[in-house]
Amino acid sequence: MKKLIIIGGYGNGTVVQSTVEDINRVKKEWEILGFLNDKEKEPINGYDVLGKIDKETVSKYLKNKDVYFFYSLISVKLNHKFLHKLKDLKIPTERFATIIHPTAVVARTAKIGHGVCIQPFVSVGPNTIIGNFIHIFAQSLIGHGSILDDYSYVSNNACVGAEVHLKEGAYLGTNATTLEYITLGKWSITGIGSVVLKNVKDYEKVVGSPARVIGTTN
């Protein structure tokens, strides 16, 4: 059985934990060793905190080839300004686990990278390309032929139209919807319930229906 260490804690980390537990109810695939967390010392949802998020702690576990990691510290608040924390760990990309909930429907022709969590009742269409370190939350839909670059984030119930490109770190909020054939720029934020009808530029922050620019993220 593969072993998993979740980098993070309450929030996205515990959502990943819950997804893994659901996978194991169908077929035991993962043993959760615990969490790495800089603030918590007590167990998180019954799993030990193994240490802080640093290269020294990680290096002890990298020696075991059966141990994989999941980096959960990607969100609307933890954006490109926090990526150094991941990169400083020097974990090979192939040692990051991809977690797919048993109720998710993923097309055979979809390509999925490392460090991806696909949560309950997600639908991923054919010929999609999903990069590394990506969260796709419950009941969202990724249209056929879409491309999600590294660190992009799709919140629950969001709908990504066909042939849409989420560039690096693009964030799509809860219940947001995009038109087909558009691009959401690098580290842009699309707010809750927004309807995106045209391209969003890099680092733009948009909200509303139709979505309009209200600021930037840099």
Side-chain angles (χ1 to χ4, degrees), residues 5 10 19-20 51 62 91 93 101 120 125-126 150-151 164-165 169 186 210:
I5 294 174
Y10 291 108
T19 302
V20 172
L62 274 175
I91 302 173
T93 304
H101 195 276
D150 295 356
Y151 314 113
V164 169
H165 186 185
K186 290 172 57 176

Side-chain angles (χ1 to χ4, degrees), residues 60-218:
K60 295 189 297 185
Y61 294 97
L62 274 175
K63 296 173 184 176
N64 185 340
K65 294 183 179 180
D66 291 330
V67 174
Y68 292 81
F69 299 84
F70 193 95
Y71 187 80
S72 69
L73 298 175
I74 295 172
S75 70
V76 68
K77 294 180 180 179
L78 302 175
N79 56 24
H80 57 288
K81 299 171 186 176
F82 291 84
L83 277 186
H84 65 88
K85 202 163 189 67
L86 169 60
K87 294 179 179 179
D88 287 349
L89 296 175
K90 303 294 184 183
I91 302 173
T93 304
E94 62 271 16
R95 294 292 294 275
F96 286 95
T98 285
I99 308 296
I100 301 176
H101 195 276
T103 62
V105 178
V106 179
R108 176 185 57 82
T109 52
K111 297 179 180 179
I112 301 174
H114 299 278
V116 176
C117 186
I118 300 177
Q119 293 172 10
F121 303 106
V122 168
S123 176
V124 178
N127 304 112
T128 54
I129 300 174
I130 296 173
N132 302 318
F133 309 109
I134 292 174
H135 292 278
I136 304 177
F137 278 76
Q139 300 179 351
S140 55
L141 182 145
I142 312 298
H144 65 80
S146 291
I147 300 173
L148 277 63
D149 288 348
D150 295 356
Y151 314 113
S152 54
Y153 190 109
V154 180
S155 300
N156 56 298
N157 296 295
C159 179
V160 177
E163 308 287 342
V164 169
H165 186 185
L166 273 67
K167 295 175 73 174
E168 179 184 280
Y171 181 100
L172 188 63
T174 299
N175 289 318
T177 302
T178 75
L179 190 66
E180 299 91 341
Y181 302 103
I182 66 168
T183 296
L184 304 185
K186 290 172 57 176
W187 300 103
S188 62
I189 294 177
T190 300
I192 292 171
S194 298
V195 178
V196 187
L197 302 179
K198 60 183 181 180
N199 293 343
V200 177
K201 295 179 181 178
D202 294 351
Y203 304 102
E204 280 189 337
K205 188 185 299 183
V206 302
V207 298
S209 178
R212 65 190 187 281
V213 179
I214 63 165
T216 64
T217 62
N218 58 5

